[in-house]
Amino acid sequence: MTATLEHANITVANPAETAAWMTQVFGWHIRWQGDAKDNGHTIHIGSDTSYIALYSPPSEVSDPPYSYTTRGALNHLAVVVEDDAATEKLVREQGFKPINHADYEPGRRFYFNDDNGVEFEVVCYDTEDANPA
């Protein structure tokens, strides 16, 4: 039996703003939204089979420590896309800076940090597309 990841839950400053750019960049849709844990608010955004829960607590939270040196922290979320060049253009249009482009067998990738400090890895397995600029 193989397990499938259904969702990840991350804390963001404004779930609606984060969901808006995710809709534009990844083509996802809002599956659900409403009141959540500890009087917070959550938006579930993704595809019909998986999603990211964007949670915001009722009051401001301090910035977290650097994820790569904190046990149990989220380091990045990877999203598979069909066209990495087109996705990179959309990422730039949202005001994010693509970094760390790399080719690897069997595909390509780049990373970007959103306005919440969450790192995203964009992965493309279609090796016939041109490399991102």
Side-chain angles (χ1 to χ4, degrees):
M1 182 173 134
T2 301
T4 300
L5 181 65
E6 183 207 25
H7 78 273
N9 186 316
I10 60 175
T11 300
V12 298
N14 185 319
E17 288 179 6
T18 301
W21 75 253
M22 288 180 162
T23 299
Q24 295 298 312
V25 172
F26 299 134
W28 291 344
H29 64 274
I30 293 176
R31 296 168 39 132
W32 176 86
Q33 61 183 311
D35 295 336
K37 179 181 176 73
D38 299 327
N39 298 314
H41 183 77
T42 296
I43 294 178
H44 292 179
I45 184 163
S47 68
D48 291 337
T49 57
S50 64
Y51 65 95
I52 296 176
L54 305 171
Y55 170 77
S56 181
S59 59
E60 197 62 32
V61 211
S62 63
D63 289 334
Y66 184 60
S67 67
Y68 282 91
T69 59
T70 304
R71 286 187 185 165
L74 173 73
N75 292 319
H76 67 257
L77 297 169
V79 179
V80 177
V81 300
E82 292 179 9
D83 184 337
D84 55 325
T87 302
E88 181 172 348
K89 182 176 185 276
L90 295 170
V91 165
R92 289 182 187 279
E93 287 174 0
Q94 294 300 314
F96 306 129
K97 181 182 177 185
I99 58 172
N100 298 336
H101 294 79
D103 291 349
Y104 65 101
E105 191 62 38
R108 294 176 307 281
R109 68 176 175 237
F110 70 87
Y111 296 82
F112 70 93
N113 291 307
D114 76 354
D115 51 356
N116 289 288
V118 176
E119 182 179 79
F120 288 84
E121 178 182 0
V122 176
V123 181
C124 182
Y125 291 114
D126 181 6
T127 55
E128 293 178 7
D129 287 344
N131 286 331

